[in-house]
Amino acid sequence: MASIPEVWLRGSIPDIIPDLQPVAHALLQAREDVERLTEGLAPDALWTEPGKAASIGFHVRHMAGALDRLMTYARGEALSDAQREALDVEKLRTPDVRVEMLLTTLYATIDRALSQLRSTVPEELEHGRAVGRAGHPSTVRGLLHHAGEHTARHAGQISTTMRVLG
């Protein structure tokens, strides 16, 4: 069976400006990787912390939460109380939460992020944005690129954790 090329080798994502194509590619590739990696994942493996490393459940939950927060900052908005509460929950081991629930949230967050990328125009990319309570300086471009990179990084960590778990 022939494998499908990685997302970045399939061409441009419709309606996304060239500067943000790498972000869209990273988000879509992370989605595909996580979907493939978690297929058939045993429920007990979701929250296993091999060698005290973060669990797959943490990575999936954090991918969605961090992506949501980064996109919020890119819009120039402050985090909501619900987003702050979700940040606290990300670190919790919650054995009653199944992978399907986490994936549903992640996929919806990626879909919203792609929608936001589609509505971003080149003139906005260098607009300044404050990040976090400390108000660290960034730009729309910086936040969006970090959103793609960060999401991909955690997909890679899921891959590594899966190998450790066997």
Side-chain angles (χ1 to χ4, degrees), residues 65-139:
L67 180 58
D68 180 56
R69 290 187 295 275
L70 289 165
M71 300 310 279
T72 298
Y73 292 134
R75 291 190 304 272
E77 299 171 4
L79 298 184
S80 68
D81 289 340
Q83 285 172 306
R84 290 188 203 296
E85 290 168 16
L87 180 58
D88 293 334
V89 173
E90 280 178 21
K91 299 174 184 101
L92 299 179
R93 187 177 186 279
T94 51
D96 58 317
V97 173
R98 299 282 186 221
V99 70
E100 296 80 15
M101 298 162 67
L102 296 174
L103 293 177
T104 297
T105 301
L106 175 62
Y107 298 164
T109 306
I110 290 173
D111 289 344
R112 285 191 309 275
L114 290 168
S115 179
Q116 184 171 332
L117 293 180
R118 284 185 178 93
S119 69
T120 303
V121 296
E123 298 76 29
E124 293 177 300
L125 293 176
E126 300 313 317
H127 289 182
R129 295 291 187 256
V131 180
R133 291 182 182 168
H136 296 291
S138 189
T139 61

Side-chain angles (χ1 to χ4, degrees), residues 26-93:
L27 293 174
L28 290 168
Q29 187 66 55
R31 178 185 180 134
E32 288 182 13
D33 289 346
V34 171
E35 183 173 21
R36 176 182 45 80
L37 290 165
T38 59
E39 185 176 343
L41 181 68
D44 60 324
L46 181 64
W47 298 105
T48 299
E49 298 172 331
K52 300 192 182 191
S55 69
I56 293 166
F58 164 79
H59 287 297
V60 176
R61 184 183 278 157
H62 179 67
M63 288 169 77
L67 180 58
D68 180 56
R69 290 187 295 275
L70 289 165
M71 300 310 279
T72 298
Y73 292 134
R75 291 190 304 272
E77 299 171 4
L79 298 184
S80 68
D81 289 340
Q83 285 172 306
R84 290 188 203 296
E85 290 168 16
L87 180 58
D88 293 334
V89 173
E90 280 178 21
K91 299 174 184 101
L92 299 179
R93 187 177 186 279

Side-chain angles (χ1 to χ4, degrees), residues 5-44:
E6 290 189 357
V7 175
W8 68 278
L9 291 170
R10 296 183 214 157
S12 296
I13 307 302
D15 303 321
I16 294 179
I17 61 174
D19 284 342
L20 298 181
Q21 287 291 320
V23 179
H25 289 143
L27 293 174
L28 290 168
Q29 187 66 55
R31 178 185 180 134
E32 288 182 13
D33 289 346
V34 171
E35 183 173 21
R36 176 182 45 80
L37 290 165
T38 59
E39 185 176 343
L41 181 68
D44 60 324

